[in-house]
Amino acid sequence: MRRLQTYVVSLLLIGLAGCAVGPKYQRASVPTAPTWSTEAPWREATPKDAIPKGTWWTIYGDDQLNQYEQQATSANQSLQIAIQSLEQARQLAINSEAGLFPSLSGGAVAQRQRLSANRPLSINVPSTTAVTQNTFSVPFVLNYELDLFGPRTPEYRSL
């Protein structure tokens, strides 16, 4: 019992030592300029990323440039790959919903077998007649998984 108490006290002391905090933190003072000034010919950047780009080249009014841009867009393999990858992702997401619906399968099987009259039936009793057997089956399977935890909300609809 004494040994157990020693272990418990040791563990508590080690745990408390890990919680020790150092001296109070004070932020270092660094001299900084109150405002940023630029010298000519430099100026502060003003990006206009929010402006729609679209068909910006039409401002030149050049039909040949418009034709080149149309050809470049339709022949851009990277763009075509990206479009196909997006479409593939959408189709895979739609296919993943297939398990949410019941599945039904069925078929028909017919077999015919003829057993010879000369077949060995047992050691002492020989078989004297031929036998024809017919087997018919119509398998029918209906599968459905019950959703016990509520419907899942598909996030891929935003693609």
Side-chain angles (χ1 to χ4, degrees), residues 7-26:
Y7 286 134
V8 170
V9 169
S10 299
L11 286 175
L12 285 174
L13 289 175
I14 291 172
L16 287 175
C19 296
V21 181
K24 183 173 176 160
Y25 175 76
Q26 294 181 2

PDB file of all heavy atoms in Angstrom, residues 7-26:
ATOM      1  N   TYR A   7       3.905   5.901  -5.686  1.00  0.00           N
ATOM      2  CA  TYR A   7       3.731   6.052  -7.134  1.00  0.00           C
ATOM      3  C   TYR A   7       2.722   7.141  -7.467  1.00  0.00           C
ATOM      4  O   TYR A   7       2.932   7.943  -8.374  1.00  0.00           O
ATOM      5  CB  TYR A   7       3.285   4.730  -7.767  1.00  0.00           C
ATOM      6  CG  TYR A   7       4.371   3.695  -7.866  1.00  0.00           C
ATOM      7  CD1 TYR A   7       4.128   2.382  -7.491  1.00  0.00           C
ATOM      8  CD2 TYR A   7       5.629   4.006  -8.341  1.00  0.00           C
ATOM      9  CE1 TYR A   7       5.105   1.413  -7.574  1.00  0.00           C
ATOM     10  CE2 TYR A   7       6.624   3.043  -8.430  1.00  0.00           C
ATOM     11  CZ  TYR A   7       6.362   1.760  -8.048  1.00  0.00           C
ATOM     12  OH  TYR A   7       7.337   0.816  -8.143  1.00  0.00           O
ATOM     13  N   VAL A   8       1.636   7.172  -6.764  1.00  0.00           N
ATOM     14  CA  VAL A   8       0.589   8.167  -7.027  1.00  0.00           C
ATOM     15  C   VAL A   8       1.120   9.568  -6.766  1.00  0.00           C
ATOM     16  O   VAL A   8       0.930  10.499  -7.569  1.00  0.00           O
ATOM     17  CB  VAL A   8      -0.674   7.873  -6.182  1.00  0.00           C
ATOM     18  CG1 VAL A   8      -1.657   9.030  -6.256  1.00  0.00           C
ATOM     19  CG2 VAL A   8      -1.325   6.584  -6.635  1.00  0.00           C
ATOM     20  N   VAL A   9       1.828   9.751  -5.632  1.00  0.00           N
ATOM     21  CA  VAL A   9       2.380  11.069  -5.302  1.00  0.00           C
ATOM     22  C   VAL A   9       3.420  11.473  -6.345  1.00  0.00           C
ATOM     23  O   VAL A   9       3.476  12.627  -6.793  1.00  0.00           O
ATOM     24  CB  VAL A   9       2.980  11.068  -3.869  1.00  0.00           C
ATOM     25  CG1 VAL A   9       3.795  12.317  -3.607  1.00  0.00           C
ATOM     26  CG2 VAL A   9       1.868  10.914  -2.846  1.00  0.00           C
ATOM     27  N   SER A  10       4.248  10.525  -6.806  1.00  0.00           N
ATOM     28  CA  SER A  10       5.262  10.817  -7.828  1.00  0.00           C
ATOM     29  C   SER A  10       4.600  11.261  -9.135  1.00  0.00           C
ATOM     30  O   SER A  10       5.034  12.225  -9.766  1.00  0.00           O
ATOM     31  CB  SER A  10       6.133   9.588  -8.074  1.00  0.00           C
ATOM     32  OG  SER A  10       6.814   9.220  -6.906  1.00  0.00           O
ATOM     33  N   LEU A  11       3.556  10.558  -9.538  1.00  0.00           N
ATOM     34  CA  LEU A  11       2.855  10.919 -10.768  1.00  0.00           C
ATOM     35  C   LEU A  11       2.218  12.298 -10.654  1.00  0.00           C
ATOM     36  O   LEU A  11       2.234  13.086 -11.606  1.00  0.00           O
ATOM     37  CB  LEU A  11       1.796   9.871 -11.114  1.00  0.00           C
ATOM     38  CG  LEU A  11       2.331   8.550 -11.665  1.00  0.00           C
ATOM     39  CD1 LEU A  11       1.188   7.558 -11.838  1.00  0.00           C
ATOM     40  CD2 LEU A  11       3.041   8.765 -12.987  1.00  0.00           C
ATOM     41  N   LEU A  12       1.656  12.615  -9.505  1.00  0.00           N
ATOM     42  CA  LEU A  12       1.054  13.940  -9.308  1.00  0.00           C
ATOM     43  C   LEU A  12       2.110  15.037  -9.371  1.00  0.00           C
ATOM     44  O   LEU A  12       1.891  16.091  -9.979  1.00  0.00           O
ATOM     45  CB  LEU A  12       0.306  14.000  -7.976  1.00  0.00           C
ATOM     46  CG  LEU A  12      -1.038  13.286  -7.938  1.00  0.00           C
ATOM     47  CD1 LEU A  12      -1.607  13.291  -6.519  1.00  0.00           C
ATOM     48  CD2 LEU A  12      -2.021  13.935  -8.888  1.00  0.00           C
ATOM     49  N   LEU A  13       3.251  14.799  -8.770  1.00  0.00           N
ATOM     50  CA  LEU A  13       4.325  15.798  -8.801  1.00  0.00           C
ATOM     51  C   LEU A  13       4.862  16.001 -10.216  1.00  0.00           C
ATOM     52  O   LEU A  13       5.124  17.127 -10.639  1.00  0.00           O
ATOM     53  CB  LEU A  13       5.453  15.392  -7.844  1.00  0.00           C
ATOM     54  CG  LEU A  13       5.123  15.509  -6.351  1.00  0.00           C
ATOM     55  CD1 LEU A  13       6.273  14.976  -5.518  1.00  0.00           C
ATOM     56  CD2 LEU A  13       4.808  16.940  -5.985  1.00  0.00           C
ATOM     57  N   ILE A  14       5.008  14.924 -10.962  1.00  0.00           N
ATOM     58  CA  ILE A  14       5.469  15.033 -12.354  1.00  0.00           C
ATOM     59  C   ILE A  14       4.434  15.786 -13.185  1.00  0.00           C
ATOM     60  O   ILE A  14       4.770  16.638 -14.002  1.00  0.00           O
ATOM     61  CB  ILE A  14       5.754  13.635 -12.933  1.00  0.00           C
ATOM     62  CG1 ILE A  14       6.986  13.035 -12.262  1.00  0.00           C
ATOM     63  CG2 ILE A  14       5.951  13.704 -14.441  1.00  0.00           C
ATOM     64  CD1 ILE A  14       7.241  11.581 -12.615  1.00  0.00           C
ATOM     65  N   GLY A  15       3.162  15.498 -12.958  1.00  0.00           N
ATOM     66  CA  GLY A  15       2.094  16.201 -13.680  1.00  0.00           C
ATOM     67  C   GLY A  15       2.071  17.677 -13.355  1.00  0.00           C
ATOM     68  O   GLY A  15       1.885  18.529 -14.235  1.00  0.00           O
ATOM     69  N   LEU A  16       2.232  18.012 -12.098  1.00  0.00           N
ATOM     70  CA  LEU A  16       2.238  19.423 -11.710  1.00  0.00           C
ATOM     71  C   LEU A  16       3.474  20.143 -12.246  1.00  0.00           C
ATOM     72  O   LEU A  16       3.413  21.320 -12.590  1.00  0.00           O
ATOM     73  CB  LEU A  16       2.164  19.552 -10.182  1.00  0.00           C
ATOM     74  CG  LEU A  16       0.805  19.223  -9.571  1.00  0.00           C
ATOM     75  CD1 LEU A  16       0.893  19.260  -8.046  1.00  0.00           C
ATOM     76  CD2 LEU A  16      -0.256  20.188 -10.064  1.00  0.00           C
ATOM     77  N   ALA A  17       4.593  19.455 -12.319  1.00  0.00           N
ATOM     78  CA  ALA A  17       5.809  20.069 -12.863  1.00  0.00           C
ATOM     79  C   ALA A  17       5.622  20.418 -14.333  1.00  0.00           C
ATOM     80  O   ALA A  17       6.166  21.417 -14.830  1.00  0.00           O
ATOM     81  CB  ALA A  17       6.995  19.130 -12.683  1.00  0.00           C
ATOM     82  N   GLY A  18       4.826  19.627 -15.040  1.00  0.00           N
ATOM     83  CA  GLY A  18       4.556  19.923 -16.452  1.00  0.00           C
ATOM     84  C   GLY A  18       3.667  21.138 -16.623  1.00  0.00           C
ATOM     85  O   GLY A  18       3.614  21.735 -17.694  1.00  0.00           O
ATOM     86  N   CYS A  19       2.955  21.542 -15.577  1.00  0.00           N
ATOM     87  CA  CYS A  19       2.058  22.691 -15.652  1.00  0.00           C
ATOM     88  C   CYS A  19       2.738  23.980 -15.205  1.00  0.00           C
ATOM     89  O   CYS A  19       2.101  25.027 -15.144  1.00  0.00           O
ATOM     90  CB  CYS A  19       0.826  22.461 -14.777  1.00  0.00           C
ATOM     91  SG  CYS A  19      -0.186  21.080 -15.319  1.00  0.00           S
ATOM     92  N   ALA A  20       4.003  23.910 -14.863  1.00  0.00           N
ATOM     93  CA  ALA A  20       4.700  25.102 -14.386  1.00  0.00           C
ATOM     94  C   ALA A  20       4.758  26.149 -15.483  1.00  0.00           C
ATOM     95  O   ALA A  20       4.954  25.849 -16.650  1.00  0.00           O
ATOM     96  CB  ALA A  20       6.108  24.733 -13.932  1.00  0.00           C
ATOM     97  N   VAL A  21       4.566  27.417 -15.096  1.00  0.00           N
ATOM     98  CA  VAL A  21       4.544  28.524 -16.040  1.00  0.00           C
ATOM     99  C   VAL A  21       5.745  29.411 -15.755  1.00  0.00           C
ATOM    100  O   VAL A  21       6.117  29.635 -14.603  1.00  0.00           O
ATOM    101  CB  VAL A  21       3.228  29.326 -15.890  1.00  0.00           C
ATOM    102  CG1 VAL A  21       3.185  30.466 -16.868  1.00  0.00           C
ATOM    103  CG2 VAL A  21       2.035  28.416 -16.061  1.00  0.00           C
ATOM    104  N   GLY A  22       6.344  29.938 -16.804  1.00  0.00           N
ATOM    105  CA  GLY A  22       7.511  30.794 -16.653  1.00  0.00           C
ATOM    106  C   GLY A  22       7.126  32.205 -16.264  1.00  0.00           C
ATOM    107  O   GLY A  22       5.985  32.481 -15.871  1.00  0.00           O
ATOM    108  N   PRO A  23       8.048  33.151 -16.399  1.00  0.00           N
ATOM    109  CA  PRO A  23       7.756  34.539 -16.038  1.00  0.00           C
ATOM    110  C   PRO A  23       6.729  35.149 -16.978  1.00  0.00           C
ATOM    111  O   PRO A  23       6.486  34.651 -18.077  1.00  0.00           O
ATOM    112  CB  PRO A  23       9.114  35.233 -16.179  1.00  0.00           C
ATOM    113  CG  PRO A  23       9.884  34.374 -17.120  1.00  0.00           C
ATOM    114  CD  PRO A  23       9.401  32.974 -16.907  1.00  0.00           C
ATOM    115  N   LYS A  24       6.121  36.245 -16.578  1.00  0.00           N
ATOM    116  CA  LYS A  24       5.091  36.907 -17.373  1.00  0.00           C
ATOM    117  C   LYS A  24       5.686  37.408 -18.685  1.00  0.00           C
ATOM    118  O   LYS A  24       6.723  38.047 -18.702  1.00  0.00           O
ATOM    119  CB  LYS A  24       4.496  38.076 -16.587  1.00  0.00           C
ATOM    120  CG  LYS A  24       3.379  38.735 -17.338  1.00  0.00           C
ATOM    121  CD  LYS A  24       2.674  39.758 -16.514  1.00  0.00           C
ATOM    122  CE  LYS A  24       1.648  40.401 -17.421  1.00  0.00           C
ATOM    123  NZ  LYS A  24       0.627  41.054 -16.735  1.00  0.00           N
ATOM    124  N   TYR A  25       5.004  37.066 -19.792  1.00  0.00           N
ATOM    125  CA  TYR A  25       5.485  37.432 -21.135  1.00  0.00           C
ATOM    126  C   TYR A  25       5.298  38.926 -21.370  1.00  0.00           C
ATOM    127  O   TYR A  25       4.252  39.486 -21.071  1.00  0.00           O
ATOM    128  CB  TYR A  25       4.721  36.642 -22.190  1.00  0.00           C
ATOM    129  CG  TYR A  25       5.060  37.045 -23.604  1.00  0.00           C
ATOM    130  CD1 TYR A  25       6.245  36.654 -24.179  1.00  0.00           C
ATOM    131  CD2 TYR A  25       4.201  37.836 -24.354  1.00  0.00           C
ATOM    132  CE1 TYR A  25       6.572  37.025 -25.470  1.00  0.00           C
ATOM    133  CE2 TYR A  25       4.514  38.218 -25.634  1.00  0.00           C
ATOM    134  CZ  TYR A  25       5.698  37.810 -26.189  1.00  0.00           C
ATOM    135  OH  TYR A  25       6.024  38.184 -27.464  1.00  0.00           O
ATOM    136  N   GLN A  26       6.322  39.544 -21.928  1.00  0.00           N
ATOM    137  CA  GLN A  26       6.241  40.954 -22.316  1.00  0.00           C
ATOM    138  C   GLN A  26       6.645  41.068 -23.774  1.00  0.00           C
ATOM    139  O   GLN A  26       7.685  40.549 -24.175  1.00  0.00           O
ATOM    140  CB  GLN A  26       7.173  41.806 -21.446  1.00  0.00           C
ATOM    141  CG  GLN A  26       6.739  41.845 -19.996  1.00  0.00           C
ATOM    142  CD  GLN A  26       7.670  42.715 -19.157  1.00  0.00           C
ATOM    143  OE1 GLN A  26       8.597  43.308 -19.677  1.00  0.00           O
ATOM    144  NE2 GLN A  26       7.390  42.773 -17.882  1.00  0.00           N
TER     145      GLN A  26
END
